[in-house]
Amino acid sequence: QPVTAAEAKGAAASGGEYVLTKVIDWVKAGQAALVDVREKNEWDEGHLQHATLIPLSQLNAPSAETAAAIAKLKGATVYVHCRSGGRAGRAAPLLEQQGLSPVVALKEGFDQLVQAGMPKAGGAHSLAQVMDSVKAGQAALVDVREKNEWDEGHLQHATL
């Protein structure tokens, strides 16, 4: 079931971790759309799964590509995010002017959304992120060196 306008506006207005988790669940389930209004270079460094890139800088005079991306979102509840929340707030009314409704600017930025459970896609991951995934059993660390090199020392949790 798509998220209703009342649910969308109410979820964003309530704030709090529980509600953010609900928004993330809606996006993951395809019940709502997530728009990233950061610039392309920021997107390339890492973005959220399920997000559509529509840079704020293109909303006043959308390119054909941006207009097509906006058209695909018509009829959906749209949540907007950026790095820290500022651009999302400026982009929401511009997206509404392009015919999207309801549009809700998330006050949480990219890092907060990742921490709250929205999966990240693309970009580089820090060694700490990789090791956390390995320790949790969500990823494997494979050492491709020879056995004698392995015997001289290797990373904990690695597999030869």
Side-chain angles (χ1 to χ4, degrees):
Q1 292 280 20
V3 178
T4 67
E7 288 174 315
K9 299 280 185 188
S14 301
E17 198 65 26
Y18 170 75
V19 174
L20 179 59
T21 302
K22 192 172 183 180
V23 170
I24 290 170
D25 288 344
W26 289 333
V27 170
K28 286 180 180 177
Q31 297 173 306
L34 181 66
V35 170
D36 185 337
V37 295
R38 298 176 305 149
E39 295 304 314
K40 174 89 167 78
N41 63 313
E42 293 172 287
W43 169 273
D44 290 344
E45 291 172 6
H47 54 273
L48 301 176
Q49 284 182 10
H50 313 290
T52 299
L53 176 64
I54 302 177
L56 174 62
S57 63
Q58 297 205 6
L59 285 176
N60 284 322
S63 65
E65 183 180 345
T66 298
I70 291 170
K72 287 180 183 177
L73 298 172
K74 292 209 175 175
T77 296
V78 177
Y79 290 94
V80 183
H81 88 89
C82 62
R83 183 182 52 82
S84 61
R87 285 177 282 180
R90 292 193 308 273
L94 296 172
L95 287 166
E96 287 176 334
Q97 289 172 12
Q98 299 287 334
L100 299 181
S101 181
V103 178
V104 177
L106 295 174
K107 64 181 182 280
E108 294 83 7
F110 177 82
D111 290 336
Q112 290 169 304
L113 291 168
V114 171
Q115 289 173 350
M118 181 58 83
K120 182 180 173 184
H125 299 280
S126 72
L127 180 57
Q129 290 172 315
V130 170
M131 291 309 295
D132 287 346
S133 295
V134 169
K135 289 175 189 174
Q138 300 168 335
L141 180 61
V142 179
D143 190 327
V144 297
R145 299 175 302 153
E146 297 297 324
K147 172 89 169 86
N148 62 324
E149 294 171 303
W150 168 273
D151 291 340
E152 291 174 11
H154 56 272
L155 292 173
Q156 186 179 9
H157 304 290
T159 303
L160 182 62

